[in-house]
């Protein structure tokens, strides 16, 4: 018998049964890769924003330490008594502000509050039992960080002024050993998550649209092979 034409053999089915699944697999891998890139990009952006907040708190705490160091030097030189130098240092740090309303605070290693510009009624009070909304004894944490490494960050929850709901906050604290002080300031980071989700929506919605278009084209092309 005469040989059968290629169109009459199973070869004509091969492209549809092999190329189409391969195209779908390649498309799926490409879309998954796009999703991974966007996800890691957004997480990296969030990490950058958090690092920016950490840098800010550290810089302002170091500024306060430099002021305190200045008055300590006056004490050491004999130009001021310890009591006078400490009072001048406290007054100088009390007036410091950053990010509009953020302030600095000072406690000792007890911990007892030495200076608090927003809640002066805390000054002289033992705050070892003061907790945040999660039960973190934040002033004890401040002391522990200084005792362990001299300085560092502490995450906790604390209400904003004139608000009741606690918000995430990060503080940088550092010890001033000559006077036994713990100096620190914090900054709220709730807006970081708000900005993160805004960026996620800004990048995510177009990405989903692209994925839907590419997926649809892949199915259409695969069905015609």
């Amino acid at each position: 018998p005469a040989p059968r034409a290629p169109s009459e053999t199973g070869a004509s089915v091969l492209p549809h049964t092999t190329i189409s699944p391969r195209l779908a697999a390649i498309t799926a891998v490409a879309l998954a890769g796009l999703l991974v890139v966007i996800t890691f990009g957004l997480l990296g952006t969030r990490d950058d924003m958090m690092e920016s907040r950490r840098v800010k708190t550290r810089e302002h705490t170091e500024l306060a330490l430099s002021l305190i160091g200045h008055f300590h030097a006056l004490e050491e030189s004999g130009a001021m008594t310890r009591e006078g130098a400490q009072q001048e240092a406290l007054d100088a740090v009390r007036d410091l502000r950053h990010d509009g309303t953020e302030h600095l605070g000072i406690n000792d290693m007890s911990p007892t509050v030495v200076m608090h510009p927003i809640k002066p009624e805390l000054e002289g009070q033992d705050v070892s039992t003061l907790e945040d909304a999660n039960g973190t004894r934040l002033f004890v944490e401040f002391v522990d960080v200084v005792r362990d490494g001299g300085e560092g960050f502490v995450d906790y929850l604390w209400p904003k002024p004139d608000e009741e709901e606690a918000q995430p906050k990060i503080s940088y604290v550092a010890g001033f050993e000559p006077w036994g002080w713990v100096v620190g300031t914090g900054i709220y980071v709730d807006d970081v998550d708000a900005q993160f989700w805004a960026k996620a929506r800004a990048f995510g919605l177009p990405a989903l649209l692209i994925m839907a278009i590419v997926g649809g084209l892949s199915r259409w092309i695969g069905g015609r092979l």
Side-chain angles (χ1 to χ4, degrees):
R4 298 175 65 183
S7 60
E8 296 176 320
T9 68
S12 62
V13 183
L14 185 61
H16 182 73
T17 58
T18 60
I19 296 178
S20 180
R22 289 176 182 174
L23 178 62
I26 292 171
T27 302
V29 170
L31 294 178
L34 175 63
L35 185 61
V36 168
V37 168
I38 291 174
T39 300
F40 276 95
L42 288 171
L43 291 176
T45 299
R46 187 183 187 281
D47 289 343
D48 289 342
M49 289 189 289
M50 287 297 295
E51 181 60 23
S52 174
R53 295 311 201 294
R54 292 188 179 95
V55 169
K56 273 188 177 183
T57 57
R58 184 172 64 245
E59 288 176 345
H60 288 292
T61 297
E62 289 172 349
L63 172 61
L65 286 173
S66 68
L67 280 174
I68 295 170
H70 166 72
F71 290 105
H72 176 253
L74 292 176
E75 177 206 350
E76 290 285 281
S77 69
M80 300 183 72
T81 64
R82 168 162 291 200
E83 182 180 353
Q86 288 182 339
Q87 188 57 56
E88 290 291 330
L90 291 174
D91 290 341
V93 175
R94 189 187 302 274
D95 292 335
L96 293 178
R97 294 292 185 276
H98 63 94
D99 290 86
T101 59
E102 295 296 347
H103 61 275
L104 288 106
I106 300 174
N107 56 269
D108 62 19
M109 300 293 286
S110 304
T112 296
V113 175
V114 176
M115 187 279 294
H116 197 294
I118 305 302
K119 294 185 176 181
E121 65 273 13
L122 289 177
E123 294 176 6
Q125 300 296 315
D126 179 354
V127 286
S128 59
T129 59
L130 189 61
E131 299 179 345
D132 73 355
N134 283 340
T136 299
R137 294 190 296 169
L138 59 149
F139 284 96
V140 172
E141 290 287 328
F142 295 164
V143 170
D144 288 345
V145 165
V146 169
R147 182 178 289 118
D148 292 342
E151 59 188 6
F153 293 98
V154 177
D155 296 317
Y156 57 100
L157 298 173
W158 202 253
K160 292 182 177 181
D162 302 321
E163 294 185 14
E164 293 186 3
E165 185 177 356
Q167 300 292 342
K169 193 172 187 178
I170 184 170
S171 281
Y172 184 83
V173 294
F176 187 73
E177 188 174 358
W179 290 347
W181 286 358
V182 176
V183 184
T185 187
I187 190 168
Y188 289 97
V189 294
D190 55 312
D191 62 323
V192 170
D193 285 330
Q195 292 179 39
F196 170 79
W197 288 113
K199 288 182 179 291
R201 288 190 294 271
F203 287 102
L205 292 177
L208 289 175
L209 179 61
I210 292 172
M211 292 171 69
I213 292 173
V214 172
L217 284 173
S218 175
R219 289 190 61 183
W220 180 77
I221 293 172
R224 296 176 65 87
L225 290 176

